[in-house]
Amino acid sequence: MLTTVGITEHVHYVGVNDRETYLFENLWPLDQGVSYNSYLINDEQTAVFDTVKNTKMNDFIEKISSILKDRPLDYLVINHMEPDHSGSIKALQDRYPQLKLVGNAKTFEILENFYGPMANYHIVKDGDTLSLGSHELIFYMTPMVHWPETMMTYEKKTGILFSMDAFGGFGSLDGGIFDDEVNLEFYMDEIRRYYSNIVGKYGAMVQKALTKLKNAGIPINIIAPTHGPVWRTAPGCIIDYYDRWSKAETEEGVVIVYGSMYGNTQKMADLIARRLADKGIKNIRIYDASKTHVSYLISDIWRFKGVIFGSCAYNTGLFPSMESLVSKLENYQLKDRYLGIFGTASWSGGGVSNLNKFAEKIKWQQVGESVEAKSSPKEQDFEKCIAMADEMADLLIQERQPGVNPFCSIIY
């Protein structure tokens, strides 16, 4: 028996878990899996909101059939066309031949590029409505959050916002599907990793979407994303996080990421971290860029204000794993961080000098002077690392607001 979950009397969760896929988009590790969320409204007319990856279509369609019985499925609302949410559209229309596909003009352009022409398009524009009986849908265009066709659908009776990928995250739903049923500490880390790596580049468009929803004056009682938990207890909290992340707001803390072949650059990283702790900084993360996937690095860089990068020279350039990290950060256009730079060089330079070039491009405020040790760090190099840590700590402490948590706390 496949599990469906009632969100309200007539709104049902019909999503699925994927614990088999190793890399999301063939890029991002899924150590704890991922969910593909879909929802069904069973009213005078019936509607499903987004589908699931094609590898899960049979379970997905069986869940819908278990609720509808012999009733038809009238509408499929396509909020997002990415294949992990559109992969079962054709199978669903084969099962329900009169199914109308609801989307915007860009939706169907992308749909036909992926799957070829289909039947029964119902094209909607910003602010259009669709009645299902006692439930009425309102469509809000939210382009580039994070694809050009993305939109959100609001249901007036229940106050549910079907938000597609927005407000979602990695991690399968292991029993609980609601924010008050799951370990939110884990999911918030995975939601931030999802946001920072997939949506974060489009922060300005996230801000436009949030402003549109706010100006619409709609009470959002439940947020139903296409990945991760359904927010029925604290929807305002995840909205607050998205608002702050998309404005590049941060928490106090420092992320130190280094690339080191023989441990000399690592020695400098450890000293800097110890000095930061001595100065009262508690949130300190140290990562070997060769051991930790870049998605986790970017997630913490999105979270914390202080960033310190270290690299040895490698073939007259940056250490490869550090080169990959800074290239992604340049592409994501993250703003407003404090940056420290250190590293080592032996028969050639290239590590620190290329980090300095990154600093010029990214335009973060540099902290202290860049420190480059010859082969292995000496006393004078360590002294410069200490000075960098002191300046970083002083800047962070100056920004403190005693007793104020810049991000909402979720306690159940």
Side-chain angles (χ1 to χ4, degrees):
M1 177 180 177
L2 295 173
T3 302
T4 62
V5 181
I7 296 176
T8 67
E9 183 180 359
H10 298 291
V11 182
H12 306 269
Y13 175 87
V14 291
V16 297
N17 284 309
D18 180 354
R19 301 185 183 92
E20 298 81 45
T21 299
Y22 179 64
L23 293 174
F24 189 81
E25 297 181 341
N26 212 24
L27 284 172
W28 317 113
L30 293 175
D31 298 336
Q32 302 297 325
V34 69
S35 66
Y36 309 122
N37 300 345
S38 177
Y39 308 91
L40 167 66
I41 293 181
N42 191 11
D43 200 340
E44 293 174 21
Q45 292 188 296
T46 58
V48 163
F49 299 81
D50 295 300
T51 73
V52 303
K53 191 176 177 180
N54 59 3
T55 57
K56 300 291 181 179
M57 68 172 66
N58 291 337
D59 287 352
F60 168 64
I61 292 174
E62 186 177 335
K63 288 186 176 189
I64 293 170
S65 299
S66 72
I67 295 170
L68 293 183
K69 309 297 184 189
D70 296 327
R71 297 193 67 201
L73 178 60
D74 297 300
Y75 297 101
L76 170 63
V77 177
I78 307 171
N79 286 318
H80 184 25
M81 265 303 304
E82 205 165 359
D84 55 332
H85 306 300
S86 65
S88 299
I89 292 176
K90 188 176 187 306
L92 196 62
Q93 197 165 57
D94 288 344
R95 173 66 176 80
Y96 298 99
Q98 300 307 310
L99 177 66
K100 300 179 185 69
L101 306 182
V102 181
N104 56 70
K106 194 70 176 178
T107 303
F108 297 116
E109 176 186 333
I110 295 174
L111 181 144
E112 293 189 354
N113 287 338
F114 270 118
Y115 307 114
M118 295 187 188
N120 301 331
Y121 296 169
H122 180 98
I123 299 176
V124 295
K125 301 184 296 297
D126 200 36
D128 283 357
T129 62
L130 176 64
S131 176
L132 302 177
S134 64
H135 296 77
E136 184 176 0
L137 308 179
I138 309 176
F139 303 99
Y140 294 100
M141 303 299 115
T142 54
M144 294 314 303
V145 184
H146 55 118
W147 274 30
E149 88 300 350
T150 49
M151 68 181 194
M152 301 185 192
T153 304
Y154 178 76
E155 199 291 299
K156 289 178 65 174
K157 178 180 179 180
T158 58
I160 298 176
L161 180 68
F162 299 98
S163 62
M164 49 94 194
D165 280 352
F167 313 117
F170 299 126
S172 61
L173 296 173
D174 300 338
I177 72 159
F178 297 107
D179 57 341
D180 52 66
E181 294 181 329
V182 300
N183 177 2
L184 275 178
E185 184 176 355
F186 163 75
Y187 282 105
M188 288 312 303
D189 283 343
E190 288 294 82
I191 290 169
R192 186 182 60 253
R193 187 164 70 96
Y194 184 94
Y195 176 86
S196 59
N197 286 279
I198 294 175
V199 182
K201 179 178 179 177
Y202 307 102
M205 302 308 292
V206 171
Q207 278 293 306
K208 287 185 178 181
L210 293 175
T211 298
K212 177 177 285 189
L213 293 173
K214 181 178 180 181
N215 290 343
I218 52 176
I220 299 175
N221 300 325
I222 298 172
I223 293 177
T226 46
H227 299 292
V230 175
W231 293 82
R232 68 177 178 185
T233 299
C237 194
I238 190 59
I239 292 173
D240 181 61
Y241 271 93
Y242 251 62
D243 182 39
R244 293 172 184 269
W245 289 336
S246 60
K247 292 188 291 190
E249 294 185 11
T250 55
E251 301 174 53
E252 180 186 300
V254 179
V255 184
I256 304 171
V257 187
Y258 67 87
S260 181
M261 284 188 288
Y262 300 112
N264 292 302
T265 305
Q266 179 182 340
K267 290 177 183 177
M268 302 168 80
D270 286 335
L271 178 72
I272 291 167
R274 179 62 242 174
R275 186 65 175 186
L276 288 167
D278 284 340
K279 295 284 287 184
I281 304 302
K282 293 184 177 180
N283 286 321
I284 303 168
R285 307 285 190 270
I286 303 183
Y287 294 108
D288 180 336
S290 294
K291 291 184 66 177
T292 304
H293 191 272
V294 67
S295 65
Y296 294 96
L297 308 180
I298 289 173
S299 179
D300 267 348
I301 290 166
W302 222 275
R303 181 179 182 184
F304 296 116
K305 180 80 171 190
V307 179
I308 302 178
F309 287 160
S311 179
C312 61
Y314 191 85
N315 287 338
T316 71
L318 268 173
F319 194 65
S321 54
M322 289 300 299
E323 186 174 28
S324 175
L325 171 61
V326 300
S327 174
K328 287 185 182 299
L329 287 170
E330 287 176 17
N331 179 262
Y332 291 169
Q333 303 171 10
L334 180 62
K335 303 183 188 309
D336 194 25
R337 296 295 185 273
Y338 297 138
L339 175 64
I341 293 171
F342 68 97
T344 57
S346 55
W347 54 267
S348 78
V352 169
S353 62
N354 278 288
L355 286 176
N356 287 335
K357 291 177 182 178
F358 164 75
E360 292 173 5
K361 293 178 183 177
I362 202 76
K363 293 182 170 53
W364 295 348
Q365 180 178 333
Q366 188 162 348
V367 176
E369 64 175 292
S370 299
V371 184
E372 185 171 51
K374 191 71 172 177
S375 294
S376 63
K378 316 299 189 295
E379 188 63 33
Q380 64 269 25
D381 303 312
F382 287 132
E383 289 175 359
K384 292 177 182 178
C385 287
I386 289 172
M388 178 199 302
D390 286 349
E391 186 175 336
M392 178 70 78
D394 289 344
L395 285 169
L396 295 174
I397 290 169
Q398 287 171 15
E399 294 188 354
R400 279 182 183 168
Q401 299 181 44
V404 175
N405 181 357
F407 289 80
C408 64
S409 298
I410 312 170
I411 301 173
Y412 297 127

